[in-house]
Amino acid sequence: MSRVFITGSTDGLGLMASRLLAADGHSVTLHARSQARAADARAALPEADGVVTGDLSSIAGMREVAEQCNAAGRFHAVIHNAGVGYRERRRIQTEDGLAHVFAINVLAPYLLTALINRPDRLIYLSSGMHHGGNPDLTDPQWTHRQWNGTQAYSDSKLFDVWLAFAVARIWPDVLSNAVEPGWVRTKMGGPHATDDISLGPVTQAWLAVSDQPAATVTGEYFFHQEQVTVHPAARDIKIQDQLVGYCADLTGATLVSDW
Ligand SMILES: NC(=O)c1ccc[n+]([C@@H]2O[C@H](COP(=O)([O-])OP(=O)(O)OC[C@H]3O[C@@H](n4cnc5c(N)ncnc54)[C@H](OP(=O)(O)O)[C@@H]3O)[C@@H](O)[C@H]2O)c1
């Protein structure tokens, strides 16, 4: 039995992965942005061990989530699933002065990784759209460019791959991988999504707990339990480190290296 924490597990793929893990006898801790959503999550999965609350759009909220996780005890695996999509029509600025999509999709997984007691496995939800990500960090907050929600989302999902791969290098004792779940019908995916939703949560749940050789690798990018092609810049160590350093500067929290 593994203890697994899943961000953004009130709905969509996070809730589906939680259900799969709970049905297999694992201990699942859910996460919701607010007390009201925590009640919804509890009702959706009464078998869950607990619900951590905190809005991941603010650095203060990210810190609250990490504190509650650490108070709950060490997890074997953390699935960084919470995310917002590509349909924001304008640049939304968070209370920390960041682009909303960047804060939730990139900075939250970074800061939770840095602050939550180190698990054995980390899984970061990326997307096939990461292939359209812009592989540079010249304007991650969209303060110099005209807003483009699709590009901001694609960039954020490439950044998630950089983060997963950087963590795999920095912490060789942790299995850290990125997952593309397919385009599936959730609140984010929308009603026209064409991929098989039943397969959407499977890979991240499998990477969290399976002892199969294919699941116990690190620094890889998966789709439907198979390693698939990743953005050509994804393995660029220099830019991975640049992202990690940038997130450390924003939060004051570092990923302590093992070497
Ligand atoms: N669906 C797809 O086709 C697709 C494709 C590729 C990748 N993905 C990735 O898969 C992951 C899950 O997506 P999904 O389709 O399941 O999305 P979803 O149905 O919209 O669910 C997103 C989850 O994140 C939570 N969340 C959003 N903003 C938050 C915030 N500020 N603080 C705390 N929690 C927050 C949501 O909470 P509420 O329920 O309260 O809103 C919800 O639990 C995302 O990382 C996404 O990028 C999805």
Side-chain angles (χ1 to χ4, degrees), residues 12 14 22 39 44 49 57 61 82 102 125 131-132 139 146 163 166 177 183 200 214 237 247 254 257:
D49 260 16
S57 67
F102 178 90
L125 264 290
H131 287 288
D139 187 22
Q146 194 177 352
L163 183 54
N177 294 291
W183 183 32
I237 290 173
C247 292
T254 50
S257 164

Side-chain angles (χ1 to χ4, degrees), residues 133-154:
N134 192 5
D136 77 59
L137 276 172
T138 47
D139 187 22
Q141 302 311 327
W142 288 81
T143 47
H144 305 303
R145 291 173 285 174
Q146 194 177 352
W147 177 253
N148 177 331
T150 302
Q151 190 62 53
Y153 177 78
S154 302

